[in-house]
Each structure stands twice: as C-alpha cells, then as structure tokens.
C-alpha cells in the first residue's frame, strides 16, 4: 500500500468525459496524490486521440471490445497498490476538497468498505440514488411516463429513494451509487470486485450488497457533494433499456426476486 489514491474512470465514447477531465485538471493540478486511470471500452479513434491529448495527466488503458462498466473498473482497481480507489463515472464533477474529505471519513472506521457522497443535479437539486431495498415494482415505476401514477405512489417512491436520509449526520446504508464511490481497495479485492456478469446497471447495487455480505459497512455523507450530469439513458434508448432489463434479471436471480 502507498499514500497515493487511484481514480478509476471507465469510458465508451462518453459525452461528458472531456468536461470531467478538465474539471479534474483544474481541481487536482498536474501534481497531486491522485492518479487518474481511464479504461476505455473500444471508443472511436478520434475520441481516443482526444483522450491522449491529456498526456501524462491520465493513464489510458485500452480494450478492443466493450466488456462493460464493472470489467473496466476491475482492471484498474484490482491491480492498484493504492489503499483507496475512487469509482468515478465519466459524467461527474467533483472538487479536490470533497475527495480529500471522503478519504478522511473512510479512515475513521476500519469496517468501512465504501463512502458515498450526496449526488446533485446541475441545478443543485438532489439525485436520490441511495437504496435500502430493491424490488421489481419500484424499479419499473420509475420508468412510467405518467406523473399522476407516480403521484399516487409518491410515498412508496420516497421510501424507495431514501428521500428521508438525515441531512445533519452521516448514515450507514445498504446501497450507494457507483457514479462516485470511494472504496477500500483491499476490501474491494477480497469480495472479488465488480461481478462482471453485469455489463451495465445494477453492478453498483450488487457490489454494495457483496460488501454487506462480507460484513463491511457503507457510509453515506450529506456533507460532501458531487454533481452528476445524469442523462437517464435507459429511459430514452431501447438498446440501453434492454441491457437494463437483462441486468435486473441477473440481479434478482442472484439476490432473490422481490416483486413488491
């Protein structure tokens, strides 16, 4: 182990990555104890060329085929000697002070495997991405385009989305969002990292439940925030929605089906 930290980013022609890298360059500067590793899942040559223009600021790992989100992060985090790693989406903006404080929090309890910050939209509103339970009904309810239906089930959705998490203290949770998650890399390796059967979607929920099964804790902090340039791809794209359904099936087959 060493005192450096690994930021792990997985891309595939990711729309916001250059804004993200520019933000990190501004926040971290050219010299910091954070090493940025980017695993690219077979993006277009022009995209790769633009990534390479960042020079030594990032370390690029290339794949000839797209094997998914979890696979890419495993390649980076399973091989790092850093004590802590940051699972980092290619559409997240964060300040260095926030990353530093997340590291401070994970060092306070040796049973912590991960720390998750509060996730915000660009307008400063909260993205409710923490989960204490998962079931088919609530997951599919989020895709219903009719607001009156969601209004009928608002109380249920509120519970499902953990909207009542305290704002004045940290909380131990079952499942946090993989858009940005600080992890203890030794504990990550001990549980086998991401289950690579999940190409995309549910892999962060699965990782968190695997941490819990191993006896580790996950901390949610409302005091540290990141901005997620969230586009809800599965809501708009038929191909992504199909992948979402496949991952949902794999998740419930693994952890038990719960419909309501």
């Amino acid at each position: 182990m060493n005192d450096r930290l690994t930021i792990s980013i997985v891309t595939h022609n990711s729309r916001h990555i250059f804004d993200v890298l520019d933000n990190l360059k501004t926040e971290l500067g050219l010299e910091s104890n954070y090493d940025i590793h980017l695993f690219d899942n077979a993006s277009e040559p022009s995209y790769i060329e633009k990534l390479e223009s960042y020079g030594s600021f990032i370390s690029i790992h290339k794949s000839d085929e797209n094997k998914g989100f979890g696979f890419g992060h495993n390649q980076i985090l399973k091989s790092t000697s850093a004590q802590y790693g940051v699972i980092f989406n290619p559409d997240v903006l964060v300040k260095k002070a926030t990353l530093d404080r997340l590291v401070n929090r994970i060092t306070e309890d040796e049973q912590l495997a991960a720390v998750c910050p509060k996730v915000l939209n660009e307008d400063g509103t909260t993205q409710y991405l923490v989960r204490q339970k998962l079931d088919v009904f609530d997951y599919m309810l989020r895709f219903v385009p009719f607001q009156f239906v969601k209004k009928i089930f608002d109380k249920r959705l509120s519970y499902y989305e953990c909207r009542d998490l305290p704002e004045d203290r940290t909380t131990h949770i079952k499942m946090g969002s993989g858009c940005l998650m600080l992890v203890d890399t030794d504990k990550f390796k001990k549980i086998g990292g991401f289950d690579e059967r999940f190409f995309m979607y549910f892999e962060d929920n699965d990782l968190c439940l695997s941490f819990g099964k191993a006896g580790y804790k996950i901390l949610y902090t409302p005091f540290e925030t990141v901005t997620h340039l969230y586009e809800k791809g599965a809501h708009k794209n038929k191909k992504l929605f199909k992948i979402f359904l496949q991952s949902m099936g794999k998740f419930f087959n693994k952890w038990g089906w719960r419909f309501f």
Side-chain angles (χ1 to χ4, degrees):
M1 295 292 180
N2 57 46
D3 63 353
R4 302 195 66 76
L5 295 98
T6 296
I7 290 178
S8 175
I9 304 175
V10 177
T11 59
H12 174 69
N13 298 314
S14 305
R15 176 183 170 190
H16 297 291
I17 186 59
F18 303 109
D19 292 329
V20 168
L21 291 176
D22 289 345
N23 172 70
L24 285 172
K25 205 168 186 178
T26 299
E27 287 295 323
L28 302 179
L30 296 178
E31 292 186 16
S32 75
N33 62 328
Y34 290 90
D35 297 315
I36 302 170
H37 289 262
L38 193 148
F39 189 92
D40 186 80
N41 275 318
S43 292
E44 296 172 359
S46 59
Y47 178 90
I48 297 291
E49 187 178 349
K50 192 169 181 181
L51 286 177
E52 290 175 339
S53 71
Y54 284 84
S56 61
F57 180 66
I58 58 175
S59 298
I60 304 174
H61 312 261
K62 302 172 190 175
S63 175
D64 293 332
E65 59 180 309
N66 189 349
K67 294 185 177 181
F69 179 89
F71 175 84
H73 283 299
N74 281 347
Q75 299 308 300
I76 295 171
L77 295 175
K78 284 185 176 182
S79 62
T80 186
S81 60
Q83 186 171 1
Y84 302 114
V86 186
I87 297 166
F88 200 119
N89 261 27
D91 57 0
V92 168
L93 305 178
V94 63
K95 293 185 178 299
K96 182 181 185 295
T98 297
L99 293 173
D100 291 342
R101 287 196 296 267
L102 292 176
V103 173
N104 289 338
R105 290 195 184 279
I106 203 169
T107 61
E108 292 172 357
D109 184 348
E110 63 181 18
Q111 284 302 108
L112 283 177
V115 179
C116 300
K118 184 177 183 179
V119 181
L120 304 177
N121 292 300
E122 288 182 85
D123 63 2
T125 56
T126 302
Q127 288 181 18
Y128 296 102
L129 303 179
V130 175
R131 302 287 180 263
Q132 293 292 75
K133 73 177 185 69
L134 293 180
D135 59 64
V136 177
F137 179 82
D138 288 321
Y139 243 117
M140 299 314 296
L141 186 60
R142 295 168 67 239
F143 288 90
V144 174
F146 306 112
Q147 288 303 314
F148 76 91
V149 175
K150 291 184 176 180
K151 192 171 183 179
I152 293 171
F153 293 100
D154 184 67
K155 191 173 182 180
R156 183 181 177 92
L157 274 174
S158 178
Y159 176 76
Y160 168 74
E161 295 180 341
C162 298
R163 294 184 208 163
D164 61 347
L165 282 174
E167 290 289 317
D168 58 351
R169 65 182 186 276
T170 60
T171 311
H172 288 115
I173 59 174
K174 285 186 178 179
M175 291 168 277
S177 171
C179 72
L180 191 141
M181 181 185 294
L182 177 74
V183 297
D184 181 307
T185 57
D186 183 53
K187 295 179 177 64
F188 180 87
K189 293 170 188 175
K190 282 182 178 177
I191 65 164
F194 281 106
D195 184 336
E196 293 176 12
R197 289 176 293 179
F198 296 93
F199 177 83
M200 187 178 180
Y201 303 116
F202 288 87
E203 70 289 313
D204 49 357
N205 296 314
D206 175 78
L207 180 74
C208 289
L209 290 183
S210 295
F211 277 140
K213 187 178 179 180
Y216 301 129
K217 300 176 185 176
I218 300 167
L219 187 74
Y220 167 78
T221 168
F223 304 112
E224 284 73 54
T225 64
V226 301
T227 300
H228 186 201
L229 310 176
Y230 192 36
E231 295 188 23
K232 297 185 177 181
H235 290 68
K236 307 170 186 176
N237 184 298
K238 288 183 180 179
K239 182 180 178 181
L240 291 178
F241 185 61
K242 183 180 178 181
I243 294 172
F244 171 86
L245 291 177
Q246 290 171 341
S247 292
M248 184 170 70
K250 291 173 184 176
F251 178 86
F252 287 113
N253 280 337
K254 180 176 181 177
W255 296 100
W257 283 85
R258 181 172 180 168
F259 290 93
F260 193 77

